[in-house]
Amino acid sequence: MQARRDELPPSVDVRDLVVQFRVRAPGVGPRVVVRAVDGVSLRVGRGATVGLVGESGSGKSTFGRALLRLAPASGGSVRIEGEDVLGAGHRELRALRQRAQMVFQNPIGSLNTRMRVGRIVREPLDIQRIGDRVSRRARVRELLDQVGLPRDAEGRYPHELSGGQQQRIALARALASAPSLIICDEPVAALDVSIQAQVLEVLKDVQRATGVSYLFISHDLNVVRHLAHETYVMYLGGVVEHGPSASVFASPRHPYTRGLVAATPVADPERARRSPLLRGEIPSPMEVPPGCRFHTRCPFAEERCREEAPVLGETGDGGRVACHFWRELPREDPRAAPTRGGA
Amino acid sequence: MSAVPVSVRDATGPTVTVPRWWRGLSWRALVGAGGVAAFLVAAVLAGAVSPYSPDALAIGSRLEGPSAAHLLGTDQLGRDVLTRILYGLRPSLESGFAAIMMAAVVGVALGLPSGYFGSLVDTVVTRVLDLLVAWPAVFLALAIVLLLGTGELQVIVAIGLAEVPVFSRLVRSIAMVAARSDHVVAARAAGASSLRIMLRHVLPFVVTPLVVQFAIAAPQALVAEASLNYLGLGTHPPAPSLGAMVSEGQSFLAYAAGPIVFPILVIVALVVSLTLLADGLQDRLDPRSRIGAR
């Protein structure tokens, strides 16, 4: 099984993707080009779950949308199951959209509140002309079962259901065309913690049953750690670290990842609160700092970081990191040591 | 906030929803609806209710006051004023409705793509509508009637065209918001075409405000219709119309007030009814006063 999966092209294979927008600077400035995603490569194998983490403004959502051409990519390549997405014509694109689907953060916002649940879930089948009327009905029932919604949900309107149930509807809709990949953009961020766990379990169950792979976009490291086999860390449009989730979270290499991990709340009243390692705000993507894009907030930044952009290099244990000094950084908490740089 | 909850959610099981859009209709809406309904019935049953023909001349009984035979008196040609009012309601209601219908259809056809696509489509549509808006509505209607000649159809086109920008802008603003919502992105991700998205995922959100706007535009259209007829640009005599009756009655005001006062009272009553109905509907249906259904 595993061997056969490896022979197939990955669910999605992204190389050097660039997404840029032309926007007018605040005030009466000239139009400037903003690179929301700046040369990101990423791969999601069949049946795998890959996490993509970063603060708001890091470009992770834009990246997810660009994979389905819902945001305009201006460079690089995207292959879904080996087929080119960015160069696809109208008809090919529609066919490709059967194979990759999305689940959004705000469950009610991603559902048409004027449609009944049954029609919402059936719509991808209607659009893609999959099956006939009878088989579509049966498929909708099957999908509702699969995501753990009651049978009678079919005839209801989304606002009659709870947030967790709404997200299950969105998942059922995403599964309708039997895609190979589902891009989950903060799928549980809008839900209560107790509901989050339920929805995450449903995601896992569905993966076991269908072999679908997930690109799981989130700012919540606890959720990603729980679900993803591999994790990419994004900062200001670029990947700064990538590796198996276990090692990324247990021994983060990049100062940014270390900051994120240190900032993750842990339910332990004994643990002392410490001052945050990450200070300040993520810079505007209109003014990406030269050199290492993280140097303005990095407690370890040196002269070289301001001038030379580090490349994503192998760490030797399956991970990759984009930092000039990751080998030399103190293993202990940098807050114990006097901080350099700053502001 | 005094908005009525749309759904009742309890912790134990599935939710229960009652269709309640009709609840909480105010007295104004009910009075307005009653008035409008009465006028509609009167217009439809004009032939059955009235013993006279609207064009029957009676030279012997000109400009009479109200009596048992002629409840609202007679006009300068001896025609029964009540009969002519009843028959005159028809073109008013028909033209008014047809004009707003036209404005709504054209408004949706322009506003939906304008809001959904934005950019160039939006710019072109908006500029063209600006040309229409730059004119006062009455002058616009006058210009159209002068251009196309007089008659009921011309009146409909004139009033309808004058109302198009209001409808188009309303639809555009809602379409702009809907087009950027996640459920539209989801539909696009599923492979839906722009046409399908506009019709299935944007248009349904336009319907309620459109109904409200329809009700708001109705009294305006009615007054416009009466005005154009008053100016002699609408129906051709001797066909009765409320506006034309007012203008004909003017010349004989010194001898009898009935032929001019009663049509005016009817216009006022109709406009007030429609306005009350619109007001009540707006209170009830305006999305800004709703919770739950977002």
Side-chain angles (χ1 to χ4, degrees):
Chain A
M1 189 69 191
Q2 195 59 47
R4 223 189 67 212
R5 270 188 182 168
D6 288 346
E7 287 163 22
L8 294 169
S11 279
V12 66
D13 189 1
V14 186
R15 304 244 168 101
D16 300 320
L17 186 69
V18 176
V19 181
Q20 50 191 27
F21 300 102
R22 297 173 65 81
V23 296
R24 205 173 282 281
V28 231
R31 280 177 181 264
V32 287
V33 173
V34 172
R35 289 202 162 188
V37 177
D38 193 3
V40 172
S41 300
L42 177 150
R43 177 195 282 248
V44 183
R46 304 254 170 160
T49 300
V50 170
L52 181 58
V53 300
E55 288 166 284
S56 350
S58 59
K60 55 194 196 304
S61 289
T62 308
F63 175 81
R65 289 182 182 214
L67 301 191
L68 284 176
R69 293 232 323 240
L70 299 169
S74 49
S77 75
V78 175
R79 290 181 178 278
I80 289 175
E81 294 187 317
E83 286 189 42
D84 182 33
V85 175
L86 301 185
H90 195 72
R91 193 161 295 179
E92 292 118 63
L93 182 62
R94 197 162 86 171
L96 277 170
R97 281 174 171 171
Q98 286 186 44
R99 306 204 210 160
Q101 281 291 303
M102 272 194 96
V103 172
F104 299 85
Q105 171 170 8
N106 178 355
I108 190 71
S110 72
L111 302 173
N112 185 337
T113 48
R114 305 298 163 102
M115 280 190 184
R116 290 176 198 276
V117 171
R119 258 190 76 193
I120 292 175
V121 175
R122 203 188 64 214
E123 200 184 23
L125 303 176
D126 292 342
I127 293 170
Q128 302 282 358
R129 302 203 178 85
I130 300 169
D132 56 17
R133 218 166 51 88
V134 181
S135 72
R136 284 177 198 171
R137 269 192 81 93
R139 175 78 175 136
V140 168
R141 297 244 166 93
E142 183 191 349
L143 288 164
L144 293 182
D145 274 351
Q146 201 162 45
V147 298
L149 279 172
R151 276 284 163 82
D152 67 342
E154 203 179 342
R156 292 167 177 273
Y157 285 97
H159 69 260
E160 300 173 40
L161 303 173
S162 70
Q165 288 174 317
Q166 287 164 357
Q167 203 56 300
R168 289 168 196 249
I169 301 169
L171 181 61
R173 172 181 60 189
L175 286 167
S177 60
S180 143
L181 172 74
I182 295 181
I183 298 161
C184 303
D185 189 358
E186 303 268 12
V188 296
L191 305 174
D192 290 346
V193 176
S194 58
I195 309 294
Q196 283 189 1
Q198 288 176 19
V199 171
L200 293 176
E201 277 315 305
V202 172
L203 285 171
K204 280 186 175 176
D205 290 346
V206 164
Q207 188 168 54
R208 270 193 291 273
T210 64
V212 69
S213 46
Y214 296 123
L215 174 59
F216 198 93
I217 301 171
S218 179
H219 67 274
D220 187 338
L221 301 195
N222 284 329
V223 167
V224 173
R225 189 201 320 242
H226 177 72
L227 209 69
H229 310 124
E230 259 178 74
T231 297
Y232 288 76
V233 182
M234 228 174 136
Y235 183 79
L236 260 187
V239 172
V240 295
E241 185 160 2
H242 163 227
S245 299
S247 70
V248 168
F249 291 114
S251 55
R253 301 270 167 50
H254 196 281
Y256 178 62
T257 320
R258 292 173 67 169
L260 282 183
V261 171
T264 306
V266 177
D268 178 5
E270 300 295 304
R271 215 177 93 148
R273 267 170 179 270
R274 290 181 296 193
S275 64
L277 182 57
L278 275 180
R279 291 175 185 282
E281 295 282 318
I282 191 165
S284 157
M286 283 195 262
E287 292 153 14
V288 176
C292 173
R293 58 187 79 228
F294 184 60
H295 83 252
T296 53
R297 295 170 75 194
C298 183
F300 312 107
E302 309 241 352
E303 197 50 43
R304 188 179 165 200
C305 304
R306 289 180 244 284
E307 285 154 11
E308 187 190 337
V311 293
L312 203 56
E314 304 282 338
T315 56
D317 56 357
R320 293 181 300 158
V321 61
C323 177
H324 294 306
F325 300 112
W326 68 270
R327 272 177 242 271
E328 298 145 39
L329 297 181
R331 291 313 307 164
E332 76 274 15
D333 195 310
R335 278 162 301 189
T339 51
R340 283 187 281 175
Chain B
M1 300 301 276
S2 62
V4 179
V6 174
S7 70
V8 182
R9 191 170 286 159
D10 62 7
T12 54
T15 58
V16 191
T17 298
V18 196
R20 296 188 178 179
W21 63 270
W22 45 268
R23 278 212 202 159
L25 276 180
S26 59
W27 65 268
R28 283 171 299 159
L30 295 175
V31 169
V36 172
F39 281 114
L40 277 176
V41 169
V44 170
L45 297 182
V49 170
S50 165
Y52 303 99
S53 153
D55 308 327
L57 308 181
I59 307 299
S61 52
R62 286 185 294 178
L63 298 172
E64 280 180 4
S67 66
H70 300 285
L71 288 178
L72 300 182
T74 58
D75 69 1
Q76 73 281 3
L77 297 174
R79 296 174 296 194
D80 184 52
V81 170
L82 178 58
T83 304
R84 285 183 69 74
I85 286 178
L86 290 176
Y87 280 93
L89 277 170
R90 281 184 180 173
S92 295
L93 294 171
E94 279 168 12
S95 310
F97 182 81
I100 304 170
M101 203 64 203
M102 174 192 142
V105 169
V106 177
V108 167
L110 290 175
L112 208 54
S114 175
Y116 176 77
F117 289 112
S119 66
L120 187 65
V121 180
D122 187 34
T123 308
V124 171
V125 170
T126 307
R127 290 293 157 256
V128 169
L129 291 180
D130 282 350
L131 277 178
L132 280 180
V133 179
W135 296 66
V138 178
F139 282 124
L140 183 70
L142 264 175
I144 289 163
V145 169
L146 291 177
L147 214 67
L148 301 178
T150 61
E152 205 175 332
L153 187 66
Q154 284 81 343
V155 167
I156 292 171
V157 173
I159 299 170
L161 214 54
E163 291 279 353
V164 161
V166 184
F167 280 89
S168 176
R169 284 173 174 179
L170 175 76
V171 173
R172 170 180 177 267
S173 68
I174 297 162
M176 275 175 91
V177 176
R180 277 144 195 80
S181 69
D182 278 348
H183 79 261
V184 165
V185 180
R188 200 174 298 138
S193 64
S194 291
L195 186 65
R196 184 189 178 95
I197 292 175
M198 276 194 277
L199 294 181
R200 300 224 172 168
H201 297 283
V202 179
L203 191 58
F205 295 87
V206 173
V207 171
T208 302
L210 212 57
V211 168
V212 172
Q213 183 55 42
F214 205 98
I216 292 172
Q220 298 169 2
L222 209 85
V223 170
E225 195 270 350
S227 307
L228 291 179
N229 272 303
Y230 173 82
L231 295 172
L233 304 174
T235 54
H236 299 286
S241 96
L242 297 176
M245 287 173 77
V246 174
S247 100
E248 285 167 21
Q250 257 180 156
S251 321
F252 305 94
L253 191 53
Y255 308 102
I260 184 167
V261 169
F262 292 120
I264 289 177
L265 286 180
V266 168
I267 294 173
V268 170
L270 196 48
V271 168
V272 169
S273 301
L274 284 167
T275 308
L276 287 174
L277 178 62
D279 219 30
L281 272 181
Q282 187 171 23
D283 282 354
R284 185 66 202 92
L285 296 177
D286 193 318
R288 274 166 298 187
S289 69
R290 295 178 75 187
I291 56 165
R294 203 190 79 105

